[in-house]
């Protein structure tokens, strides 16, 4: 009898679970085929409402989209979503995605301080508006000072919205707009706790203020973080205007809010959009950022996105749509050395942004956190794992991993430790990222960490101290590709080389919020006007600001032309002739790491030639991917049919780089034979008349690269000339990847494109 009751209970539990899952609601983005609206409706909104109510009487629209999407967002059960998707005129009903943020010296490092004559008059750039989708803005930052700015551009159609701790008076002639989008967030996670987070454009996190001021902050004299990186802080485009769209909250950034912000940004007439956020990769017709970016591109808006912080693992990129400019991260020629001096007389290099009120000039007892804890993960210095009696007054060695780096310092301080040495593990190698810890601390690489651990076990009374050296300039080699910077190949379309470019993203000084300290920890009561942080979140706004400069200099250039100028003038060789390095390997980086190379804004202003693209070129590219008309309509927001008689090829997309993929079945089992692939490109003259000659640079003889014709002559501005590149590979490649560069030069301009050649079993 008891067994029977147990079975009945289990059955009822399963039944209740199924019932709950059937009624549980989630947020969906509904894409409508606006051209298919029945004639009985005068307004598309009425049609949307009727379609929604046909599957759910209780469902309401969260957002109505007009620009980036034809459709709306709403809450539905899975069954209701399926039913809605089957209705006439519904292109797709896609589940909401959650995205995450990709968390002074820079202008001079990029040559912006010494090259003012090369750049357009400030009046031209002051008409350019940079829109930043992030965690909001701290309007009191000195980087938003509007002294010397003229009237707000007549093209601006946006607003400065009021909310918690924020009013329209917080905007000015520099920060001309601020909006916030929380409906999607609140629909999923509940009301925002306004005692902890401002339901307004105000930035309580710091990330948004940092990215906005990096892109287009005003000039601020005497900026620093606790005396580190002293000097003048300035954004890339100091005279450009800033419009902020807060889409990221404590629980993340939701696609329904991001689409609403992009929708408004297009209405507001921004010229550049900067998004330092990303999520998991998915096909372009399912990716809200890719869909929104396409609409922006059609309106002439360049969209710059961070590549992600998933490096050095391959295939770790975010934001890989070809109409998005995807930015990886490199280092500056600046460092913040803080050496670990051991009791045996040996010194080891580290980095730090905080030495405390008093220097650790005397030797202190050194202890490994793993030996001062009863927890199995005590070495990681996680909350509550250290034994105070064993760390009080000592220098504590913690291993990196799991919890945030700055939190480890907080744990050591709470346990009574006098200082901390944070050691990288295998996951991070010897790349050093500085932090403003809550106590005197330094970060060391994996190799150094192992050496210090060896010293700890070699003697009975190990001691150490930290020697803080402040700010050091002229570090070589620089830049190098940051280890955390996400890498290719492109997981969605391997024939599109990503990232596009790298820019400074390590230890970047920029404006900060007054709501939290530099660590972002609740227990950090320090307040700073500027902070130094790292990530592709920091490299992305560098390129956004540089794009604004180019837009000011060349108002008629398309987003593709601006990206092309930045890519074809990027460098991959140091002034001494050495190849750009990857800090993760200590070896030369590849196009899968750095894309076209490191940005060179002065050269980008006068590229000579550009690879231009229009919206239909991208749609032809989608045809080459065998997208259905419904999938293409989801992105394009209009009917577009792939011609049955036309041959489409992803190799014909007029991209400024080449990713050549030889399927293994094309090469396997053919003895000494070879296979060929052809790529077509078209160059547009944006400079003086000239004759350009091609030069193929390839360190490997395993793949033959031939260009036809080898000479292109341009007479008129905007004149176009095409060429074909043939890649011939052996049947059995001797190496995994081959890299090359194709350079066109008239003696004054060099138009350079990276080439990455690989073999895959995917069968493209």
């Amino acid at each position: 009898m008891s067994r029977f009751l147990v079975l009945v209970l289990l059955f009822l539990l399963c039944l209740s679970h199924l019932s709950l899952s059937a009624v549980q609601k989630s947020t969906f983005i509904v894409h409508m085929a606006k051209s298919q609206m029945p004639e009985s409706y005068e307004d598309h909104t009425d049609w949307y409402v009727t379609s929604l109510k046909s599957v759910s009487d209780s469902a309401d629209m969260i957002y109505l989209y007009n620009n980036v999407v034809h459709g709306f967002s709403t809450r539905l059960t899975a069954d209701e979503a399926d039913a809605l998707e089957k209705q006439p005129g519904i292109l797709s009903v896609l589940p909401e995605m959650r995205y995450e943020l990709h968390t002074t010296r820079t202008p001079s490092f990029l040559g912006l301080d010494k090259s003012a004559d090369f750049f357009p008059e400030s009046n031209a750039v002051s008409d350019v508006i940079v829109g930043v989708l992030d965690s909001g803005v701290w309007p009191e930052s000195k980087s938003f000072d509007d002294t010397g700015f003229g009237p707000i551009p007549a093209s601006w159609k946006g607003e400065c919205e009021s909310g918690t701790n924020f009013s329209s008076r917080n905007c000015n002639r520099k920060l001309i707009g601020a909006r916030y989008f929380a409906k999607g967030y609140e629909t999923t996670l509940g009301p925002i706790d306004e005692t902890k987070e401002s339901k307004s454009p105000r930035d309580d996190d710091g990330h948004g203020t940092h990215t906005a001021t990096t892109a287009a902050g005003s000039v601020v004299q005497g900026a620093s973080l606790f005396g580190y990186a002293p000097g003048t802080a300035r954004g890339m485009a100091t005279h450009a205007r800033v419009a902020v769209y807060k889409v990221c909250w404590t629980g993340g950034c939701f696609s329904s809010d991001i689409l609403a912000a992009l929708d408004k940004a297009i209405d507001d007439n921004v010229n550049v959009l900067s998004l330092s956020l990303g999520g998991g990769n998915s096909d372009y017709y399912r990716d809200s950022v890719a869909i929104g970016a396409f609409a922006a591109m059609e309106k002439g808006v360049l969209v710059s996105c961070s590549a992600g912080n998933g490096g050095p693992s391959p295939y770790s990129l975010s934001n890989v749509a070809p109409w998005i400019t995807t930015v990886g991260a490199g280092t500056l020629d600046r460092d913040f050395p803080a050496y670990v001096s051991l009791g045996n007389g040996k010194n080891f290099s580290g980095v730090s942004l905080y030495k405390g009120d008093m220097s650790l000039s005397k030797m202190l007892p050194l202890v490994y956190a793993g030996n001062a804890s009863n927890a199995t993960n005590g070495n990681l210095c996680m909350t509550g794992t250290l034994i105070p009696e064993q760390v009080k007054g000592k220098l504590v060695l913690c291993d990196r991993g799991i919890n945030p780096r700055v939190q480890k310092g907080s744990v050591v301080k709470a346990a009574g430790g006098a200082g901390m040495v944070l050691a990288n593990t295998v996951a991070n190698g010897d790349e050093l990222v500085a932090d403003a810890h809550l106590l005197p601390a330094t970060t060391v690489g994996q190799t150094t960490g192992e050496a210090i651990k060896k010293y700890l076990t070699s003697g009975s009374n190990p001691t150490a101290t930290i020697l803080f050296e402040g700010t050091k300039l002229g570090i070589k080699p620089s830049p190098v590709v940051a280890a955390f910077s996400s890498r290719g190949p492109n997981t969605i379309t391997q024939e599109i080389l990503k990232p596009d470019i790298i820019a400074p993203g390590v230890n970047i000084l920029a404006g900060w919020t007054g709501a939290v300290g530099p660590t972002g920890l609740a227990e950090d009561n320090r307040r700073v006007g500027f902070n130094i942080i790292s990530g592709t979140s920091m490299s992305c706004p560098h390129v956004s600001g540089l794009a604004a400069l180019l837009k000011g200099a060349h108002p008629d250039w398309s987003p593709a032309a601006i990206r092309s100028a930045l890519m074809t003038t990027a460098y991959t060789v140091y002034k001494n002739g050495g190849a750009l390095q990857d800090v993760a390997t200590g070896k030369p980086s590849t196009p899968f790491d750095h894309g076209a190379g490191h940005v060179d804004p002065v050269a980008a202003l006068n590229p000579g030639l550009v690879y231009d693209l229009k919206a239909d070129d991208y749609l032809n590219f989608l045809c080459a991917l065998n997208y259905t008309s419904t999938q293409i309509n989801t992105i394009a927001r209009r009917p577009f049919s792939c011609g049955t008689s036309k041959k489409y090829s992803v190799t014909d997309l007029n991209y400024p780089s080449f990713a050549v993929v030889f399927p293994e079945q094309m090469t396997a089992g053919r003895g000494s034979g070879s296979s060929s692939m052809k790529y077509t490109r078209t160059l547009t003259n944006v400079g003086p008349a000239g004759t350009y000659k091609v030069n193929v640079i390839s360190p490997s003889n395993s793949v033959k690269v031939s260009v036809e014709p080898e000479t292109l002559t341009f007479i008129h501005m905007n004149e176009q000339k095409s060429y074909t590149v043939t890649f011939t590979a052996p049947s059995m490649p001797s190496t995994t990847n081959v890299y090359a560069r194709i350079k066109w030069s008239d003696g004054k301009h060099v138009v350079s494109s990276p080439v990455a050649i690989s073999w895959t079993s995917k069968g493209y």
Side-chain angles (χ1 to χ4, degrees), residues 46 96 173 268 334 354 398 406 503 505 510 537 560 622 646 653 697 700 723 728:
D46 295 334
E96 177 158 67
R173 290 170 297 174
D268 293 346
R334 178 180 67 194
Y354 187 66
C398 301
V406 290
S537 277
L622 297 178
K646 184 176 180 180
L653 185 68
I697 302 172
S700 172
Y723 68 93
T728 305

Side-chain angles (χ1 to χ4, degrees), residues 112 116 119-130 143-153 172-176 212-219 233-243 271 545-546 548-549 552:
L112 297 181
F119 289 89
E121 292 294 326
S122 60
N123 288 341
V125 179
S126 70
D127 287 335
V128 179
I129 303 165
V130 180
S143 295
F144 297 115
D145 183 7
D146 67 351
T147 302
F149 277 78
I152 293 171
N172 58 19
R173 290 170 297 174
K174 174 65 173 178
L175 177 64
I176 63 173
T213 56
T214 297
S218 298
V219 175
R234 48 163 289 172
M236 297 296 96
T238 58
H239 294 284
R241 316 296 178 125
V242 176
N271 304 108
L546 296 177
L549 285 178

Side-chain angles (χ1 to χ4, degrees), residues 6 39 43 65 101 109 166 200 213 280 302 304 348 354 371 377 404 410 418 511 523 528 574 585 658 679 722 727 757:
V6 169
E39 293 181 359
D43 183 76
Y65 306 113
L101 293 167
F109 182 69
F166 200 95
S200 74
T213 56
L302 181 137
S304 172
F348 293 96
Y354 187 66
N371 297 330
N377 59 353
S410 176
E523 59 267 33
V528 296
Y574 300 119
T585 63
F658 296 84
Y679 282 56
S722 298
F727 300 93
I757 304 168

Side-chain angles (χ1 to χ4, degrees), residues 116 134 152 261 283 322 332 380 391 453 507 518 545 587 627 712:
D134 211 293
I152 293 171
D283 287 312
L332 294 172
L380 297 174
V391 302
K453 290 172 189 175
N507 296 334
K587 299 177 181 178
Y627 274 28
L712 297 174

Side-chain angles (χ1 to χ4, degrees), residues 259-333:
L259 282 172
L262 291 170
D263 211 65
K264 278 295 184 184
I266 292 173
D267 273 341
D268 293 346
N269 276 345
V270 303
N271 304 108
V272 176
L273 278 167
S274 188
L275 289 80
S276 291
L277 50 82
N281 276 333
S282 56
D283 287 312
Y284 307 128
Y285 63 88
R286 300 181 65 87
D287 184 338
S288 292
V289 170
I291 292 169
F294 189 93
M297 173 274 300
E298 284 194 293
K299 296 289 187 178
V301 180
L302 181 137
V303 181
S304 172
C305 292
S306 48
N309 300 335
S313 300
Y315 299 99
S316 54
L317 292 165
S318 296
N319 303 313
V320 296
W323 48 87
I324 289 174
T325 300
T326 310
V327 188
T331 64
L332 294 172
D333 63 342

Side-chain angles (χ1 to χ4, degrees), residues 180-182 185 192 197-200 246-252 257:
Y180 67 100
F181 302 83
Y185 177 89
I192 289 170
E197 192 169 19
S198 300
K199 190 176 178 180
S200 74
K246 183 176 179 179
V247 297
C248 295
W249 307 84
T250 301
D257 294 327

